[in-house]
Amino acid sequence: MNFDQFSFDGRIASGIKSCGYETPTPIQQAAIPEVLKGRDVMGLAQTGTGKTAAFALPILQRLIDAEASKQGPARVLVLAPTRELALQIHENFVDLGRQTGIRCAAVFGGVGQNPQIKAVRRSAVVVACPGRLIDLLNQGVIKLDHVDTLVLDEADRMLDMGFLPDIKRIIKRLPEQRQNLLFSATMPNDIRKLADRILHQPATVQVANTAPAASVSHSFYPVPQHLKTKLLEVLLKTTNHESVLIFTRTKHKAKNLARKLDRGSHNATFLQGNMSQNQRQRALDGFRKGDFNVMVATDIAARGIDCDRITHVINFDIPDTPETYTHRIGRTGRAGRTGVALSFVTSEDKSMMRSIERIVGNRIERFTLEDFDYNQPVPGRNQPRPANARSRSGVGHRQRQGQGQKTSERGSRRGARR
Ligand code: AMP
């Protein structure tokens, strides 16, 4: 399954590519076709599921199809509860639509209004927090009488924050003929009522609860790419585990890593797409029975793994989407037990780390090992790594200072947005 199925305009397709998206997330698969058809949509999904692109991509396509002016008047209004979310949605529209030339404005309180008024007047898409938007509407400095698409994002949170009266007032200022999209993580009664009022024969799209189980603890282990295997060997030696499931990005790595661990002090097997059904079954049975205490797998191959003994999931390579993270770590902490999820992260992984923190709902602690030499050179390179080699990334700073196996207060607070 890839994005080709939606036949997006080439300029949008290149936006998708430049954002690094390869496969549509479940909410994108479900919502994009409905939005493209022009239907109203009730989307039940939380932040971290890829829901912004689920509405931004088909909205951009519809603007192109309608040959709408890229510079306004505003045709699309997205309402969001917080400045952070508004900025993120704005950024997503800008990144995905960069090649299209479609302009997007962000409107929120706490900063001067004049630049925002100017931006609204020359943008086809407006992403706004209700408070500031109603201010501008009341002053008569902006108009929304060409809006034909309305998105209410994180609607449950907007209602919790007391925005319902503002939302109603804003909706009164919009043309009646519109496509309406409402996204919410939960469906309390007041959201149901709001949906009944504004949505017309909506398509309901829903992703299963994607928040990881509360019984699983999460941690990040910053490590340079070339030291991952060594770090893994130390961790496997020093942690008290029953069965460990390790995820790698490629089939090749899964096989090589399992073989390497098996040659060491572990009974390790692997599971990847190139194996025959018999080979898979043998690996799975052996892992379930405990003949192997370590299994290295790729995401696709791991779909069928159902084993209650798994105490640890280790992301040797960070997953491509937050859903995949949830899916991977859903293999542990089952049946009322607790589980541990460890993820190796490099300086390349910062954006996905933030997405994972968002879906988990908390900042995830970073751990470093006291006796591990994080400065070991890349094999084949004579020169030791310069002391500041990774300082720009913000990842891997404290390891070099020899912190113990402790949390280091590092990284962006923006990660824990919820
Ligand atoms: P959202 O739920 O819209 O806040 O998205 C969560 C994160 O997932 C953001 O960092 C997006 O850039 C990212 N994302 C959205 N769609 C995809 C996709 N199809 N593949 C990979 N990452 C994605």
mmCIF file of all heavy atoms in Angstrom, residues 88-108:
data_model
loop_
_atom_site.group_PDB
_atom_site.id
_atom_site.type_symbol
_atom_site.label_atom_id
_atom_site.label_comp_id
_atom_site.label_asym_id
_atom_site.label_seq_id
_atom_site.Cartn_x
_atom_site.Cartn_y
_atom_site.Cartn_z
ATOM 1 N N GLN A 88 1.745 23.396 14.166
ATOM 2 C CA GLN A 88 2.125 22.116 13.557
ATOM 3 C C GLN A 88 1.316 21.805 12.301
ATOM 4 O O GLN A 88 1.850 21.314 11.306
ATOM 5 C CB GLN A 88 1.868 21.001 14.566
ATOM 6 C CG GLN A 88 3.158 20.395 15.035
ATOM 7 C CD GLN A 88 2.893 19.410 16.129
ATOM 8 O OE1 GLN A 88 2.169 18.443 15.923
ATOM 9 N NE2 GLN A 88 3.432 19.657 17.282
ATOM 10 N N ILE A 89 0.029 22.112 12.374
ATOM 11 C CA ILE A 89 -0.820 21.860 11.202
ATOM 12 C C ILE A 89 -0.369 22.780 10.054
ATOM 13 O O ILE A 89 -0.246 22.357 8.904
ATOM 14 C CB ILE A 89 -2.308 22.108 11.545
ATOM 15 C CG1 ILE A 89 -2.769 21.133 12.636
ATOM 16 C CG2 ILE A 89 -3.184 21.973 10.304
ATOM 17 C CD1 ILE A 89 -4.129 21.480 13.229
ATOM 18 N N HIS A 90 -0.119 24.024 10.411
ATOM 19 C CA HIS A 90 0.356 24.991 9.421
ATOM 20 C C HIS A 90 1.629 24.467 8.751
ATOM 21 O O HIS A 90 1.744 24.455 7.519
ATOM 22 C CB HIS A 90 0.599 26.329 10.126
ATOM 23 C CG HIS A 90 1.216 27.370 9.260
ATOM 24 N ND1 HIS A 90 2.556 27.658 9.285
ATOM 25 C CD2 HIS A 90 0.677 28.179 8.319
ATOM 26 C CE1 HIS A 90 2.815 28.602 8.403
ATOM 27 N NE2 HIS A 90 1.687 28.944 7.810
ATOM 28 N N GLU A 91 2.551 24.005 9.571
ATOM 29 C CA GLU A 91 3.831 23.495 9.055
ATOM 30 C C GLU A 91 3.604 22.307 8.120
ATOM 31 O O GLU A 91 4.217 22.201 7.061
ATOM 32 C CB GLU A 91 4.663 23.064 10.254
ATOM 33 C CG GLU A 91 6.143 22.963 10.032
ATOM 34 C CD GLU A 91 6.843 22.569 11.345
ATOM 35 O OE1 GLU A 91 6.542 23.170 12.390
ATOM 36 O OE2 GLU A 91 7.633 21.633 11.309
ATOM 37 N N ASN A 92 2.686 21.416 8.525
ATOM 38 C CA ASN A 92 2.368 20.249 7.690
ATOM 39 C C ASN A 92 1.826 20.676 6.335
ATOM 40 O O ASN A 92 2.206 20.142 5.302
ATOM 41 C CB ASN A 92 1.311 19.407 8.412
ATOM 42 C CG ASN A 92 1.787 18.004 8.722
ATOM 43 O OD1 ASN A 92 1.093 17.046 8.435
ATOM 44 N ND2 ASN A 92 2.962 17.866 9.280
ATOM 45 N N PHE A 93 0.901 21.654 6.339
ATOM 46 C CA PHE A 93 0.350 22.151 5.063
ATOM 47 C C PHE A 93 1.465 22.752 4.204
ATOM 48 O O PHE A 93 1.529 22.503 3.008
ATOM 49 C CB PHE A 93 -0.725 23.220 5.311
ATOM 50 C CG PHE A 93 -2.133 22.681 5.312
ATOM 51 C CD1 PHE A 93 -2.814 22.451 6.487
ATOM 52 C CD2 PHE A 93 -2.785 22.403 4.117
ATOM 53 C CE1 PHE A 93 -4.109 21.960 6.496
ATOM 54 C CE2 PHE A 93 -4.085 21.911 4.101
ATOM 55 C CZ PHE A 93 -4.751 21.682 5.296
ATOM 56 N N VAL A 94 2.333 23.533 4.858
ATOM 57 C CA VAL A 94 3.406 24.185 4.097
ATOM 58 C C VAL A 94 4.341 23.130 3.505
ATOM 59 O O VAL A 94 4.684 23.167 2.325
ATOM 60 C CB VAL A 94 4.173 25.189 4.995
ATOM 61 C CG1 VAL A 94 5.428 25.695 4.295
ATOM 62 C CG2 VAL A 94 3.257 26.353 5.373
ATOM 63 N N ASP A 95 4.734 22.149 4.330
ATOM 64 C CA ASP A 95 5.679 21.129 3.850
ATOM 65 C C ASP A 95 5.060 20.280 2.736
ATOM 66 O O ASP A 95 5.683 20.042 1.704
ATOM 67 C CB ASP A 95 6.099 20.199 5.003
ATOM 68 C CG ASP A 95 6.999 20.922 5.996
ATOM 69 O OD1 ASP A 95 7.513 21.992 5.650
ATOM 70 O OD2 ASP A 95 7.156 20.415 7.121
ATOM 71 N N LEU A 96 3.836 19.826 2.951
ATOM 72 C CA LEU A 96 3.217 18.943 1.954
ATOM 73 C C LEU A 96 2.858 19.712 0.682
ATOM 74 O O LEU A 96 2.862 19.159 -0.413
ATOM 75 C CB LEU A 96 1.975 18.261 2.536
ATOM 76 C CG LEU A 96 2.260 17.248 3.648
ATOM 77 C CD1 LEU A 96 0.974 16.837 4.370
ATOM 78 C CD2 LEU A 96 2.951 15.998 3.102
ATOM 79 N N GLY A 97 2.538 20.997 0.853
ATOM 80 C CA GLY A 97 2.059 21.755 -0.309
ATOM 81 C C GLY A 97 3.111 22.666 -0.913
ATOM 82 O O GLY A 97 2.793 23.492 -1.769
ATOM 83 N N ARG A 98 4.358 22.507 -0.470
ATOM 84 C CA ARG A 98 5.408 23.447 -0.895
ATOM 85 C C ARG A 98 5.446 23.656 -2.410
ATOM 86 O O ARG A 98 5.510 24.761 -2.909
ATOM 87 C CB ARG A 98 6.772 22.974 -0.397
ATOM 88 C CG ARG A 98 7.857 24.026 -0.503
ATOM 89 C CD ARG A 98 9.143 23.574 0.150
ATOM 90 N NE ARG A 98 8.991 23.167 1.536
ATOM 91 C CZ ARG A 98 8.938 24.006 2.576
ATOM 92 N NH1 ARG A 98 8.991 25.286 2.370
ATOM 93 N NH2 ARG A 98 8.815 23.539 3.793
ATOM 94 N N GLN A 99 5.371 22.556 -3.154
ATOM 95 C CA GLN A 99 5.483 22.653 -4.618
ATOM 96 C C GLN A 99 4.219 23.201 -5.265
ATOM 97 O O GLN A 99 4.228 23.563 -6.434
ATOM 98 C CB GLN A 99 5.718 21.256 -5.217
ATOM 99 C CG GLN A 99 6.885 20.502 -4.665
ATOM 100 C CD GLN A 99 8.161 20.946 -5.322
ATOM 101 O OE1 GLN A 99 8.143 21.375 -6.468
ATOM 102 N NE2 GLN A 99 9.258 20.882 -4.606
ATOM 103 N N THR A 100 3.116 23.201 -4.521
ATOM 104 C CA THR A 100 1.851 23.603 -5.133
ATOM 105 C C THR A 100 1.698 25.117 -5.184
ATOM 106 O O THR A 100 0.891 25.632 -5.963
ATOM 107 C CB THR A 100 0.644 23.060 -4.338
ATOM 108 O OG1 THR A 100 0.647 23.683 -3.037
ATOM 109 C CG2 THR A 100 0.703 21.551 -4.156
ATOM 110 N N GLY A 101 2.452 25.817 -4.322
ATOM 111 C CA GLY A 101 2.312 27.273 -4.262
ATOM 112 C C GLY A 101 1.098 27.718 -3.458
ATOM 113 O O GLY A 101 0.841 28.921 -3.314
ATOM 114 N N ILE A 102 0.331 26.772 -2.905
ATOM 115 C CA ILE A 102 -0.854 27.142 -2.117
ATOM 116 C C ILE A 102 -0.398 27.728 -0.783
ATOM 117 O O ILE A 102 0.417 27.149 -0.089
ATOM 118 C CB ILE A 102 -1.757 25.894 -1.888
ATOM 119 C CG1 ILE A 102 -2.347 25.458 -3.224
ATOM 120 C CG2 ILE A 102 -2.847 26.188 -0.857
ATOM 121 C CD1 ILE A 102 -3.055 24.117 -3.193
ATOM 122 N N ARG A 103 -0.930 28.890 -0.457
ATOM 123 C CA ARG A 103 -0.446 29.576 0.746
ATOM 124 C C ARG A 103 -1.310 29.272 1.948
ATOM 125 O O ARG A 103 -2.512 29.056 1.830
ATOM 126 C CB ARG A 103 -0.418 31.078 0.499
ATOM 127 C CG ARG A 103 0.513 31.426 -0.633
ATOM 128 C CD ARG A 103 0.506 32.894 -0.868
ATOM 129 N NE ARG A 103 1.319 33.529 0.154
ATOM 130 C CZ ARG A 103 2.284 34.398 -0.124
ATOM 131 N NH1 ARG A 103 2.530 34.730 -1.374
ATOM 132 N NH2 ARG A 103 2.976 34.953 0.833
ATOM 133 N N CYS A 104 -0.652 29.288 3.098
ATOM 134 C CA CYS A 104 -1.332 28.923 4.343
ATOM 135 C C CYS A 104 -0.971 29.943 5.420
ATOM 136 O O CYS A 104 0.194 30.342 5.537
ATOM 137 C CB CYS A 104 -0.863 27.523 4.742
ATOM 138 S SG CYS A 104 -1.618 26.891 6.238
ATOM 139 N N ALA A 105 -1.969 30.363 6.203
ATOM 140 C CA ALA A 105 -1.726 31.326 7.284
ATOM 141 C C ALA A 105 -2.047 30.686 8.628
ATOM 142 O O ALA A 105 -2.935 29.836 8.716
ATOM 143 C CB ALA A 105 -2.621 32.553 7.078
ATOM 144 N N ALA A 106 -1.326 31.097 9.659
ATOM 145 C CA ALA A 106 -1.619 30.595 11.015
ATOM 146 C C ALA A 106 -2.078 31.768 11.875
ATOM 147 O O ALA A 106 -1.492 32.846 11.831
ATOM 148 C CB ALA A 106 -0.375 29.955 11.608
ATOM 149 N N VAL A 107 -3.133 31.536 12.654
ATOM 150 C CA VAL A 107 -3.732 32.605 13.455
ATOM 151 C C VAL A 107 -3.888 32.125 14.899
ATOM 152 O O VAL A 107 -4.570 31.128 15.145
ATOM 153 C CB VAL A 107 -5.136 32.955 12.869
ATOM 154 C CG1 VAL A 107 -5.875 33.921 13.778
ATOM 155 C CG2 VAL A 107 -5.010 33.531 11.465
ATOM 156 N N PHE A 108 -3.232 32.812 15.820
ATOM 157 C CA PHE A 108 -3.369 32.442 17.237
ATOM 158 C C PHE A 108 -3.023 33.653 18.083
ATOM 159 O O PHE A 108 -2.395 34.612 17.604
ATOM 160 C CB PHE A 108 -2.448 31.261 17.577
ATOM 161 C CG PHE A 108 -1.064 31.397 17.022
ATOM 162 C CD1 PHE A 108 -0.124 32.207 17.640
ATOM 163 C CD2 PHE A 108 -0.714 30.727 15.849
ATOM 164 C CE1 PHE A 108 1.149 32.343 17.116
ATOM 165 C CE2 PHE A 108 0.563 30.869 15.315
ATOM 166 C CZ PHE A 108 1.494 31.683 15.954
#
